[in-house]
Amino acid sequence: MNPDAIFAEIVLCESRSHLATQAAALAFARLLKLAEERDSGQIPRIARFLAAAYNGEAFKFDLFELRAVDVAISDDMLICLDALRWARADLHTLVPDGDRRLRAVIDRWGLQWPASS
């Protein structure tokens, strides 16, 4: 690969990364709002997804859960996953007061932090 092609690839990846992060900020905010305000059968799945995006070692998420939520919700989850792969920012930092709000969702939905070893 010649230097110009390498540079073009870097520019393309940088652009994709920025766009994915911008889209995820909106998608994560929508999901977080649902987990904060709603109470339906889909919301615990959203809460588990948000917790896993926050701390994947502490909170596991079965990707088959994407099949058990509305299309718009799973689309937002996929948008968030795209941003996670680019790793520009922790998703909870993209929304106002995200850390506190996400910890409150974890508590609200009874998700358990692993015991310290």
Side-chain angles (χ1 to χ4, degrees):
M1 200 179 244
N2 70 43
D4 290 339
I6 293 170
F7 180 73
E9 184 68 22
I10 290 170
V11 170
L12 176 63
C13 286
E14 187 72 15
S15 175
R16 287 182 66 191
S17 172
H18 279 283
L19 291 172
T21 303
Q22 289 171 343
L26 298 173
F28 194 83
R30 287 188 295 268
L31 293 170
L32 185 57
K33 184 174 179 168
L34 288 171
E36 290 172 322
E37 298 177 359
R38 303 284 293 277
D39 186 7
S40 74
Q42 299 182 92
I43 306 305
R45 289 181 170 93
I46 295 170
R48 286 191 297 272
F49 175 82
L50 294 171
Y54 181 68
N55 185 329
E57 288 186 28
F59 303 103
K60 305 303 179 196
F61 183 76
D62 181 351
L63 293 176
F64 282 91
E65 298 273 9
L66 291 168
R67 302 163 121 185
V69 293
D70 291 344
V71 171
I73 292 170
S74 63
D75 284 347
D76 278 347
M77 290 175 171
L78 290 171
I79 289 167
C80 290
L81 289 174
D82 189 35
L84 284 173
R85 80 177 165 141
W86 291 105
R88 290 196 77 78
D90 291 329
L91 297 179
H92 70 279
T93 67
L94 301 175
V95 297
D97 203 17
D99 188 70
R100 182 198 59 76
R101 292 171 64 196
L102 193 47
R103 286 178 173 271
V105 162
I106 289 168
D107 289 342
R108 176 181 185 208
W109 290 100
L111 302 176
Q112 299 297 312
W113 290 88
S116 300
S117 8

